[in-house]
Amino acid sequence: MRTMKLAPSVFGAGIGNLSQQLKILEENNVELLHVDVMDGHFVEKMAFGPDHIKMLKELTTISLDVHLMIEKPERKLDTIIDAGADIITIHQESTTRLYSCIEKIKSRGVKAGVVLSPATNEDTLKYVLDKIDMILLMTINPGEAGPGFHEELLTKIKNVRELIGDRDIDLEVDGGIDNTNIAKCKEAGVNVFVSGGYVFKGDIAEKIKTLREALK
């Protein structure tokens, strides 16, 4: 059975007391810190970049799971890697050079993954399965504050888990994850769970505890 990993999204954190919040995450042994990079083109919002990733790398020992929501990510890979990303996931929809992007990331000793937006067919993954370390499935449109977790996408999650088979690939989910739906995602085959607003609103340690308990 694959290790269950929590990946709180720093996009949901409070910038004013970020260091303190990261310390709480470390004390509660979260496995990954999810970092959304947005360019204002692939998605409407803008958030984080190489300088922010470098800052986070200096502030925490948690591995950085960097989700690129940018057009033509091949133009930014070197600067993102140099900033300290430990895992980089790229949207299937954002580039026509997915193979070379994956190869560039791996050649620099960083883990590589592919992201699918909700409406992107999972069958496109079969051509990269032997090249990647992670698949991230969005349950809301990237860069948008959706209406919450869409349960109909559990079928897609199950299909992707079946495609993965016995390959050493983490399956991650992002979008409205909280203690009411995390177990359903686990049952469908997810082992990495991104949660932003839920974790950072209120008592962070208690929120992490409720997620862990729901995964038991």
Side-chain angles (χ1 to χ4, degrees), residues 105-132:
I105 295 167
K106 301 278 281 188
S107 73
R108 295 287 307 275
V110 175
K111 290 185 177 182
V114 173
V115 192
L116 299 187
S117 294
T120 302
N121 193 300
E122 62 270 23
D123 286 343
T124 58
L125 289 167
K126 57 185 162 185
Y127 301 106
V128 295
L129 284 172
D130 293 322
K131 297 177 177 289
I132 57 177

Short mmCIF file of all heavy atoms in Angstrom, two decimals, residues 105-132:
data_model
loop_
_atom_site.label_atom_id
_atom_site.label_comp_id
_atom_site.label_asym_id
_atom_site.label_seq_id
_atom_site.Cartn_x
_atom_site.Cartn_y
_atom_site.Cartn_z
N ILE A 105 13.16 18.11 -16.49
CA ILE A 105 13.02 18.06 -15.04
C ILE A 105 13.79 16.88 -14.46
O ILE A 105 14.57 17.02 -13.51
CB ILE A 105 11.53 17.97 -14.65
CG1 ILE A 105 10.79 19.25 -15.06
CG2 ILE A 105 11.37 17.74 -13.14
CD1 ILE A 105 9.27 19.12 -15.00
N LYS A 106 13.61 15.72 -15.06
CA LYS A 106 14.26 14.51 -14.55
C LYS A 106 15.78 14.60 -14.68
O LYS A 106 16.52 14.10 -13.82
CB LYS A 106 13.73 13.29 -15.29
CG LYS A 106 12.23 13.09 -15.20
CD LYS A 106 11.81 12.40 -13.92
CE LYS A 106 12.04 10.92 -14.02
NZ LYS A 106 11.44 10.22 -12.83
N SER A 107 16.24 15.23 -15.75
CA SER A 107 17.68 15.34 -15.97
C SER A 107 18.36 16.19 -14.91
O SER A 107 19.56 16.08 -14.67
CB SER A 107 17.97 15.91 -17.35
OG SER A 107 17.68 17.30 -17.41
N ARG A 108 17.57 17.05 -14.25
CA ARG A 108 18.09 17.91 -13.19
C ARG A 108 17.93 17.28 -11.81
O ARG A 108 18.19 17.92 -10.80
CB ARG A 108 17.38 19.27 -13.23
CG ARG A 108 17.61 20.12 -14.48
CD ARG A 108 19.01 20.72 -14.53
NE ARG A 108 19.33 21.46 -13.32
CZ ARG A 108 19.00 22.74 -13.10
NH1 ARG A 108 18.36 23.43 -14.05
NH2 ARG A 108 19.32 23.34 -11.98
N GLY A 109 17.48 16.03 -11.75
CA GLY A 109 17.36 15.33 -10.48
C GLY A 109 16.13 15.67 -9.67
O GLY A 109 16.07 15.43 -8.46
N VAL A 110 15.11 16.23 -10.35
CA VAL A 110 13.85 16.61 -9.69
C VAL A 110 12.75 15.67 -10.18
O VAL A 110 12.77 15.23 -11.33
CB VAL A 110 13.50 18.08 -10.04
CG1 VAL A 110 12.14 18.47 -9.48
CG2 VAL A 110 14.59 19.00 -9.50
N LYS A 111 11.81 15.36 -9.31
CA LYS A 111 10.69 14.50 -9.70
C LYS A 111 9.74 15.28 -10.61
O LYS A 111 9.54 16.48 -10.44
CB LYS A 111 9.95 13.99 -8.47
CG LYS A 111 10.77 12.98 -7.66
CD LYS A 111 9.95 12.41 -6.51
CE LYS A 111 10.75 11.35 -5.76
NZ LYS A 111 9.95 10.75 -4.66
N ALA A 112 9.14 14.55 -11.56
CA ALA A 112 8.27 15.19 -12.56
C ALA A 112 6.89 14.55 -12.55
O ALA A 112 6.75 13.34 -12.36
CB ALA A 112 8.89 15.06 -13.95
N GLY A 113 5.88 15.40 -12.79
CA GLY A 113 4.51 14.90 -12.84
C GLY A 113 3.68 15.64 -13.86
O GLY A 113 4.08 16.69 -14.37
N VAL A 114 2.51 15.08 -14.14
CA VAL A 114 1.57 15.67 -15.09
C VAL A 114 0.27 15.97 -14.38
O VAL A 114 -0.20 15.18 -13.54
CB VAL A 114 1.33 14.71 -16.27
CG1 VAL A 114 0.22 15.24 -17.18
CG2 VAL A 114 2.60 14.51 -17.07
N VAL A 115 -0.32 17.12 -14.70
CA VAL A 115 -1.60 17.54 -14.13
C VAL A 115 -2.68 17.50 -15.20
O VAL A 115 -2.45 17.92 -16.33
CB VAL A 115 -1.53 19.00 -13.59
CG1 VAL A 115 -2.77 19.30 -12.74
CG2 VAL A 115 -0.25 19.23 -12.82
N LEU A 116 -3.86 17.00 -14.83
CA LEU A 116 -5.02 17.05 -15.70
C LEU A 116 -6.10 17.91 -15.09
O LEU A 116 -6.48 17.73 -13.93
CB LEU A 116 -5.60 15.65 -15.94
CG LEU A 116 -4.72 14.59 -16.62
CD1 LEU A 116 -5.55 13.34 -16.90
CD2 LEU A 116 -4.07 15.12 -17.88
N SER A 117 -6.62 18.87 -15.86
CA SER A 117 -7.79 19.63 -15.45
C SER A 117 -9.01 18.72 -15.47
O SER A 117 -8.97 17.63 -16.08
CB SER A 117 -7.99 20.83 -16.38
OG SER A 117 -6.93 21.75 -16.25
N PRO A 118 -10.12 19.12 -14.83
CA PRO A 118 -11.27 18.21 -14.70
C PRO A 118 -11.78 17.64 -16.01
O PRO A 118 -12.17 16.47 -16.06
CB PRO A 118 -12.32 19.10 -14.03
CG PRO A 118 -11.54 20.08 -13.24
CD PRO A 118 -10.33 20.37 -14.07
N ALA A 119 -11.79 18.43 -17.08
CA ALA A 119 -12.40 17.97 -18.33
C ALA A 119 -11.42 17.26 -19.27
O ALA A 119 -11.81 16.83 -20.35
CB ALA A 119 -13.03 19.14 -19.07
N THR A 120 -10.15 17.13 -18.85
CA THR A 120 -9.16 16.46 -19.70
C THR A 120 -9.25 14.95 -19.52
O THR A 120 -9.22 14.46 -18.40
CB THR A 120 -7.74 16.95 -19.36
OG1 THR A 120 -7.68 18.37 -19.53
CG2 THR A 120 -6.72 16.30 -20.28
N ASN A 121 -9.31 14.25 -20.64
CA ASN A 121 -9.48 12.79 -20.60
C ASN A 121 -8.22 12.12 -20.04
O ASN A 121 -7.10 12.43 -20.45
CB ASN A 121 -9.77 12.28 -22.01
CG ASN A 121 -10.26 10.84 -22.01
OD1 ASN A 121 -9.56 9.94 -21.56
ND2 ASN A 121 -11.46 10.64 -22.51
N GLU A 122 -8.42 11.18 -19.14
CA GLU A 122 -7.30 10.49 -18.51
C GLU A 122 -6.54 9.58 -19.46
O GLU A 122 -5.39 9.20 -19.19
CB GLU A 122 -7.78 9.68 -17.30
CG GLU A 122 -8.77 8.57 -17.60
CD GLU A 122 -10.22 9.03 -17.53
OE1 GLU A 122 -10.46 10.24 -17.68
OE2 GLU A 122 -11.08 8.16 -17.32
N ASP A 123 -7.13 9.22 -20.59
CA ASP A 123 -6.45 8.32 -21.53
C ASP A 123 -5.17 8.95 -22.08
O ASP A 123 -4.27 8.24 -22.53
CB ASP A 123 -7.37 7.94 -22.69
CG ASP A 123 -8.45 6.94 -22.27
OD1 ASP A 123 -8.28 6.31 -21.20
OD2 ASP A 123 -9.44 6.79 -23.00
N THR A 124 -5.08 10.28 -22.07
CA THR A 124 -3.88 10.94 -22.58
C THR A 124 -2.65 10.60 -21.74
O THR A 124 -1.51 10.75 -22.21
CB THR A 124 -4.06 12.47 -22.60
OG1 THR A 124 -4.36 12.93 -21.27
CG2 THR A 124 -5.20 12.87 -23.53
N LEU A 125 -2.85 10.14 -20.51
CA LEU A 125 -1.74 9.84 -19.62
C LEU A 125 -0.94 8.62 -20.05
O LEU A 125 0.24 8.49 -19.70
CB LEU A 125 -2.25 9.61 -18.19
CG LEU A 125 -2.76 10.82 -17.43
CD1 LEU A 125 -3.51 10.38 -16.19
CD2 LEU A 125 -1.61 11.74 -17.06
N LYS A 126 -1.54 7.71 -20.78
CA LYS A 126 -0.87 6.43 -21.04
C LYS A 126 0.42 6.59 -21.82
O LYS A 126 1.29 5.73 -21.78
CB LYS A 126 -1.80 5.46 -21.72
CG LYS A 126 -2.40 5.89 -23.03
CD LYS A 126 -3.39 4.81 -23.48
CE LYS A 126 -4.35 5.33 -24.53
NZ LYS A 126 -5.36 4.30 -24.86
N TYR A 127 0.60 7.74 -22.49
CA TYR A 127 1.81 7.95 -23.27
C TYR A 127 2.97 8.49 -22.43
O TYR A 127 4.09 8.60 -22.95
CB TYR A 127 1.51 8.88 -24.44
CG TYR A 127 0.43 8.33 -25.34
CD1 TYR A 127 -0.84 8.87 -25.33
CD2 TYR A 127 0.68 7.24 -26.15
CE1 TYR A 127 -1.85 8.36 -26.13
CE2 TYR A 127 -0.32 6.70 -26.96
CZ TYR A 127 -1.58 7.27 -26.95
OH TYR A 127 -2.58 6.74 -27.74
N VAL A 128 2.72 8.84 -21.17
CA VAL A 128 3.80 9.36 -20.32
C VAL A 128 3.98 8.56 -19.03
O VAL A 128 4.83 8.89 -18.22
CB VAL A 128 3.56 10.85 -19.96
CG1 VAL A 128 3.61 11.73 -21.20
CG2 VAL A 128 2.24 11.06 -19.24
N LEU A 129 3.22 7.51 -18.86
CA LEU A 129 3.22 6.78 -17.59
C LEU A 129 4.60 6.26 -17.19
O LEU A 129 4.91 6.18 -16.00
CB LEU A 129 2.22 5.62 -17.64
CG LEU A 129 0.75 6.01 -17.52
CD1 LEU A 129 -0.13 4.79 -17.78
CD2 LEU A 129 0.44 6.60 -16.16
N ASP A 130 5.40 5.89 -18.16
CA ASP A 130 6.71 5.34 -17.83
C ASP A 130 7.79 6.40 -17.66
O ASP A 130 8.96 6.08 -17.48
CB ASP A 130 7.13 4.33 -18.91
CG ASP A 130 6.24 3.09 -18.92
OD1 ASP A 130 5.85 2.65 -17.83
OD2 ASP A 130 5.92 2.60 -20.01
N LYS A 131 7.37 7.68 -17.69
CA LYS A 131 8.32 8.78 -17.58
C LYS A 131 8.15 9.62 -16.32
O LYS A 131 8.98 10.47 -16.03
CB LYS A 131 8.18 9.72 -18.79
CG LYS A 131 8.51 9.07 -20.13
CD LYS A 131 8.27 10.07 -21.27
CE LYS A 131 8.68 9.47 -22.61
NZ LYS A 131 10.14 9.32 -22.76
N ILE A 132 7.05 9.43 -15.57
CA ILE A 132 6.69 10.38 -14.51
C ILE A 132 6.67 9.75 -13.13
O ILE A 132 6.64 8.52 -12.98
CB ILE A 132 5.33 11.04 -14.81
CG1 ILE A 132 4.22 9.99 -14.95
CG2 ILE A 132 5.43 11.92 -16.04
CD1 ILE A 132 2.84 10.58 -15.18
#
